[in-house]
Each structure stands twice: as structure tokens, then as C-alpha cells.
Amino acid sequence: MGCTAPEEAFVSDVTAFDPDHTAIVKLKNREAAARGELKLFLRTNDRFREDSLTVRIGTFTPDSLHTEELHRLILPATRRINALKRVVEIPYRRAVELPHAGNYYFTITPTRPTEGVEAVGILFRTEQTDHYGKR
């Protein structure tokens, strides 16, 4: 790998998170054959009450391929005594290879209306290699 950060966040702020309002997240991949792990994350406020959430995830690659799938998010329970915002990270895909440099787009749409979501994003943690190219 080059000199990219081991983890990058790509985020879309949302004003409504329901089946009629899709979050679009652009992941800028700087080098071909990048390998790593993808996580979804939600930034929520005190109106968020879900313990699970099913989302439809569409993926659009720089070479114009498109896939779509349903993914159920199991959200960790938290006990908060204040109304602070929180960020919830959920593993999505491990051992992912992004074969092309360029922009990957992810559309993330809940299957039902969800209150209290302020932003939706993708974390991409790249696998690090040594100076011999070994992972």
C-alpha cells in the first residue's frame, strides 16, 4: 500500500432517513487493488431508539458495475444519561478488494422510517503492507 491513512471515513449528512430518502456516500479509492474492511456507521441523536435496522445497500463501482443487497444492522445497546450524539459502527464486509482507483458510491436506504439518524457513512480500513508488499 501507499501512504494512505489506515482508516478513512466517508459520510453523508441526512435530514430524513426513511425509504424515500436515500443516503449517498462517495468513497474515494486512491489506488487500485486496495484491500481492507468496510464498516457502516450511523451518527445518531437522542431520538434514535432502534436496536436493529434493515437497510438496502447499493454499490456502484468506477467501472460501472452495480450490486444491491439487504443488510440487517444489529445495533449495540447503550445506556446514556445525557442527550449526546453517538456514532455506531457496524461491520459490513471483511477482506474486501476495491480493484479500481476512483469513486465508489454506496446508497444506503432503510426499509422503514427511522428517527434520530443525522449522518450515515462508510469506514474503510485498509490492510497495511510492509515495504516488501506483504500484508
Side-chain angles (χ1 to χ4, degrees):
M1 288 274 146
C3 297
T4 59
E7 183 172 78
E8 292 184 87
F10 305 89
V11 65
S12 175
D13 292 329
V14 296
T15 54
F17 196 52
D18 60 43
D20 295 328
H21 296 89
T22 296
I24 300 172
V25 178
K26 179 174 86 172
L27 185 155
K28 184 175 176 99
N29 185 34
R30 291 178 178 79
E31 55 187 271
R35 292 178 166 270
E37 175 183 13
L38 292 172
K39 292 183 179 181
L40 296 173
F41 71 88
L42 305 174
R43 186 179 69 226
T44 64
N45 61 33
D46 60 338
R47 292 187 346 245
F48 186 76
R49 303 275 187 248
E50 309 294 333
D51 61 359
S52 68
L53 181 63
T54 301
V55 294
R56 181 175 308 282
I57 302 172
T59 304
F60 301 83
T61 66
D63 62 343
S64 75
L65 294 177
H66 171 244
T67 63
E68 192 170 280
E69 66 181 327
L70 290 175
H71 190 73
R72 183 165 180 182
L73 310 178
I74 305 299
L75 306 164
T78 61
R79 295 182 182 192
R80 294 185 297 170
I81 57 172
N82 55 18
L84 294 177
K85 298 174 188 329
R86 74 175 181 144
V87 175
V88 180
E89 293 180 17
I90 304 103
Y92 175 50
R93 292 277 179 249
R94 292 191 173 114
V96 169
E97 181 174 334
L98 303 180
H100 305 285
N103 294 325
Y104 287 75
Y105 291 90
F106 295 87
T107 58
I108 304 165
T109 311
T111 57
R112 60 184 162 77
T114 305
E115 296 258 340
V117 176
E118 296 180 347
V120 179
I122 299 280
L123 292 173
F124 183 51
R125 177 179 292 273
T126 57
E127 291 180 0
Q128 297 300 297
T129 56
D130 62 18
H131 61 278
Y132 299 108
K134 295 181 182 176
R135 296 189 192 283

